[in-house]
Amino acid sequence: MLRNYLTSPSFTKAGQSFKSTLFTSINSLGRRAMATLHDMSDKQTVWIRHAEDDIRLQATFTYWKYLTPDDKTTISKQRLFTLNRLIDEPVGETFKRLKVNVAKHFYCQTKSGPQSRKTVEEINTDAANHVKVRLFDNTGLEINSSIPNSNAWVQGGKLEINEHHYYIEINPPAVKELEMPVNMLSGYLVRPKLSLEFADLNDCVFSWYRINGSSSEGILVGEEEVYTPTISDVGCQLKLVVLPKLKHRCGQSVEAVSKAYVTEGPKRDYLSERKQHISGWTSSQGFRVVTYNVLADVYTESEVSRTKLFSHCPASFIDYGYRKLLIAQELLEYKADIICLQELDKKHYDNYYQPVLSRYGYESSILLKKHQKVPPNVVAEDEESDCPENKDTESANSDEQFVTVKEGSAIFFNKAKFREIGRHNLSIAESIDSDVLFADIMKQARTSNSITEKLLYHSGSSLQVTVLESVDDPTHRLCLCTIHLYFHPMAEAVRLIQTAVSLRHIQRIKGLYESQNHKVSTVFCGDFNSSPDRQTVQLILNRFIDQSDKVFSQDDVYKMFGLELRHTLQFSSASGFPQFTNYVPAFKECIDYIFYETEHICVEFVVPMPSEAQLGGGLPNENFPSDHIPLICDFSWK
């Protein structure tokens, strides 16, 4: 079943290394099973895989011969077979193919002489003479050979091939993909790339082994989906065996062995210092918030990134396989009730962050950036820009109006502290051009072609809004918002408009819940790409930007007619204004913030930032996995 599944269209993305690992695993598991067949000959299984809407099914079984007819303890030969047949084919036709396959490998006598290869007729004769096949339903009645495959194979039925009896398992739990990571560090969580079918991750059985030397068996070191290598694992490979399960049903175990060896992880003294200010999880009277731009993988791969922005960082430390281990460990060390991430790649969210953090009690969602497709009459983003955010989009079909970016923001929250009661996300490029709430802003923005183009076609900035309710006290509700504003250093007017749109949307959502007599607090955090003295931050804190402000006229490229901007949210900066939150050799500035409404919550503590001496000249580096530094604040309910 698994062998054919690897070549099916639904599994074409699997790598060759995984295929070889899986084949080896199945064969080795088959050999171990065959060694004890004399104790379990009546318990063999034929595995039937038939996915919904698939016109074919796969049947997998192992056939074997004993050394002599009288000796039922010694196996002379065994083989794994898989049939891939149409579901509307009569089962009798499937039996014919089964007989031929078994006969070719077990019963065909080799001819001598120049005509040593048997004809099809001779093989069919051997099959008819040596291989007898019968199929029974789960009541013991024999299935008629004219019945189509779709109805013939029944859960709990039985297949007989000569003296061998097989129970039938329909759509057994299965491992579709299992791939060990390349980077494995002592003290840092390891999780494989794992994909299951007809299985529940929480039911599966995981066995981690340390392999040291020539022995492939290894020493059992872990029994969870994730494993944190210890100093004893340094210099060793790791092997993972996964038994897929769905409640009481089990599939075939699959194993994968790492090609890489565990190396010693960095000590990260600054992290130990920050942890000293964190005594544990917050009480029921408060909550901890972390916001962190984790530097998307897609932005480190460009020529600009390698030769300019991050040329100070060795390739081994800029590699996301290395960086994600440090990021995940750091997030877990902070014991935050809320984590807001920006520049999070969708593939890394799916394959690493979401499954890893969910094991530690976090529920999450991701919102990818989105912008309108660039029309033919609009110039594409400057590919010589010193920011790599110019080749960040996935392909879009020619008839699609919007393009989705490969990265975005993600919100994680502690399920023991909060429950989600609503999501109200906003794609700015989509909504500013269609939502009447922003009509006056877009009307003024259209007086500048450059601003219009950046808002609609080049910036995918989206506002992620999740409304949470306190588990301990449902009267406490939190409107949690995170965003990553447009990057260009000269485009403060663009960021200002994105912020104004976001604030109006937040007011609308907050008003929606307050109209139902709920008390709502707001936290608005992320990477605003704007320093404390710039208009974007001033609008948030002061609630007003006059239409005569220089932001609308200081640069010819982003010049537009003045726009008066107001909002009613009373924000303060929880983390204050650190000297820097983004730190690369060419740029050091405070551009990340945790803004909060002061009416219903207050700041209890802000975890100090690392010193400039600890940053090592520029981020990222061996100890800091991003070019940003996470902000950490403790709040309490009033």
Side-chain angles (χ1 to χ4, degrees), residues 425-443:
N425 300 329
L426 181 78
S427 167
I428 294 177
E430 183 175 4
S431 298
I432 195 174
D433 211 21
S434 60
D435 193 326
V436 66
L437 183 64
F438 316 123
D440 61 319
I441 296 178
M442 194 59 209
K443 179 180 179 181

Side-chain angles (χ1 to χ4, degrees), residues 461-477:
S461 295
S462 297
L463 177 69
Q464 187 173 13
V465 181
T466 299
V467 179
L468 302 174
E469 180 180 83
S470 171
V471 170
D472 297 305
D473 185 352
T475 65
H476 292 315
R477 293 194 169 187

